[in-house]
Amino acid sequence: MDFKPPGPFRPSAEDNTPQLWKDWKQQFELFLTATDKTEAPGKQKVAMLLCSLGTQYVKVFNNFTFANDDQKDDLNAVMVKFDTYFEPKKLVKSYITRFQQRVQAPHETVAQYITTLRELATHCEFGAIEDRQIAVQISNGVKEPALREKLWDDDLSLDDIIKKCNSFEQAKETKKFCAVETQVHALTMRGRGRGRSRGRQQFMQPSRRVQQNNSSNYPPSTRESVYGPTSHRDSVPTTSRRSFVPNRQRVNNSTPCKRCATQHGPRQCPAYGKLCNFCKIPGHFARCCLKKKQNVLCLEHDPGA
């Protein structure tokens, strides 16, 4: 079976280079074992290593300093030099640059942003000033301008900054929830108003159709025999002809009305047609206004208020 060496070593700036080098070195050692090259001369194995790494690392090899010329042909000695070259200390500056350029992404929460900064800070060797550097970067990198102003107002510790960020984000979510609830309430009230008007139309229209059918299907003489003389029917008051009320409407409701907070009979609400002093929507009093109650709830749960 024909085994191929690992491809050229080309880590990007976003990669964990020390870990990638360890993985690549292990693949190269496995390649030597699979091709029975572990007992080959050191000079040959060093040449195979440099050819596998790529041209740019041949230049790095030429700049290495060895105690004697024999170590240049010793694979283990060359590997130690590359281990030192790829160790984290050589990459601290690149990690610091990435840390200072890291800002909060559009769809990233503050908690996720802080976690990413903490991970980057572990490679920057900040030491005792690590918390201070993270606090400064959070103040510079959060995406909300209003939050940035709050973080720069005072000389805050990292814990205080994290608390302010969490409170700001919770307040923002609470406002979104209250806005959605207000929209749902407005749509619900609008739908109820349409339902009442539609129900009144359906209740009144059948009686008109019955009167039209009765008046059109009988000749004049027959109508008089059925309904009586026209003068007699016209003399009967309208209220007596429509005095029937369904049983379910004659029962008084013992529960206070949700629109006026009082008890009354059906279709006798004093708030009907009246304008609310708070939301300016007709059909209820201000003391029963759901929008007013929701605003009070939002103020109680808004930590930034």
Side-chain angles (χ1 to χ4, degrees):
M1 183 178 293
D2 186 18
F3 294 96
K4 295 182 179 180
F9 186 64
R10 296 172 181 171
S12 64
E14 300 294 329
D15 293 331
N16 186 351
T17 303
Q19 184 60 45
L20 290 179
W21 163 245
K22 291 179 181 179
D23 296 340
W24 190 96
K25 184 171 70 172
Q26 183 180 13
Q27 293 178 7
F28 180 77
E29 292 171 349
L30 292 173
F31 166 72
L32 293 179
T33 302
T35 55
D36 294 329
K37 299 294 183 181
T38 55
E39 301 298 331
K43 188 173 184 177
Q44 181 181 357
K45 290 189 289 186
V46 170
M48 295 173 64
L49 172 68
L50 296 177
C51 290
S52 300
L53 281 173
T55 306
Q56 61 177 341
Y57 294 106
V58 175
K59 298 179 182 179
V60 174
F61 170 78
N62 293 334
N63 292 325
F64 286 155
T65 302
F66 295 94
N68 52 65
D69 292 339
D70 292 339
Q71 288 186 348
K72 289 184 177 182
D73 298 332
D74 185 354
L75 180 62
N76 292 330
V78 174
M79 284 292 193
V80 171
K81 290 292 183 180
F82 275 110
D83 289 340
T84 305
Y85 178 79
F86 289 119
E87 69 182 358
K89 290 183 179 180
K90 302 293 183 180
L91 304 173
V92 170
K93 290 184 178 180
S94 65
Y95 278 112
I96 292 176
T97 301
R98 289 167 56 187
F99 176 84
Q100 294 175 343
Q101 294 177 348
R102 184 63 164 85
V103 296
Q104 186 181 2
H107 302 291
E108 186 178 35
T109 63
V110 175
Q112 293 171 342
Y113 175 55
I114 295 174
T115 301
T116 303
L117 288 180
R118 286 185 179 276
E119 292 176 355
L120 288 174
T122 57
H123 303 288
C124 296
E125 298 183 356
F126 288 135
I129 63 171
E130 180 174 310
D131 287 354
R132 181 63 179 172
Q133 293 294 328
I134 295 175
V136 172
Q137 190 58 32
I138 293 173
S139 302
N140 290 330
V142 290
K143 61 185 177 181
E144 294 289 344
L147 179 57
R148 282 201 300 270
E149 292 181 2
K150 289 185 178 181
L151 298 181
W152 277 107
D153 285 343
D154 301 317
D155 187 12
L156 303 174
S157 64
L158 178 59
D159 291 338
D160 293 335
I161 285 179
I162 293 175
K163 289 179 182 179
K164 274 188 173 291
C165 290
N166 292 335
S167 298
F168 183 88
E169 204 159 61
Q170 290 175 2
K172 187 177 179 181
E173 292 298 323
T174 302
K175 289 180 181 178
K176 287 183 180 179
F177 174 78
C178 292
V180 172
E181 287 293 318
T182 303
Q183 292 178 359
V184 172
H185 172 67
L187 292 174
T188 302
M189 296 300 296
R190 191 180 304 171
R192 288 179 181 176
R194 291 176 179 175
R196 287 195 302 270
S197 61
R198 196 174 300 148
R200 287 194 296 269
Q201 292 176 1
Q202 292 177 355
F203 179 78
M204 295 298 294
Q205 286 174 359
S207 62
R208 295 173 182 173
R209 287 198 297 267
V210 170
Q211 292 178 1
Q212 291 175 358
N213 292 337
N214 289 339
S215 62
S216 60
N217 293 336
Y218 294 100
S221 58
T222 309
R223 286 202 307 271
E224 292 180 1
S225 62
V226 174
Y227 292 104
T230 303
S231 59
H232 173 71
R233 286 189 296 110
D234 292 341
S235 63
V236 178
T238 305
T239 55
S240 64
R241 294 201 304 267
R242 295 182 181 179
S243 60
F244 173 75
V245 179
N247 291 331
R248 61 181 178 86
Q249 296 184 4
R250 287 201 293 263
V251 178
N252 290 330
N253 189 1
S254 60
T255 304
C257 178
K258 295 181 179 180
R259 301 178 183 277
C260 66
T262 62
Q263 296 181 2
H264 53 75
R267 300 181 181 275
Q268 297 177 5
C269 180
Y272 180 78
K274 300 297 179 60
L275 201 64
C276 175
N277 292 332
F278 183 82
C279 67
K280 308 304 179 183
I281 297 177
H284 64 275
F285 291 149
R287 62 173 175 266
C288 302
C289 182
L290 296 179
K291 188 173 182 180
K292 180 179 180 182
K293 296 179 181 179
Q294 289 174 350
N295 286 349
V296 173
L297 179 62
C298 292
L299 291 175
E300 293 177 351
H301 288 81
D302 189 354

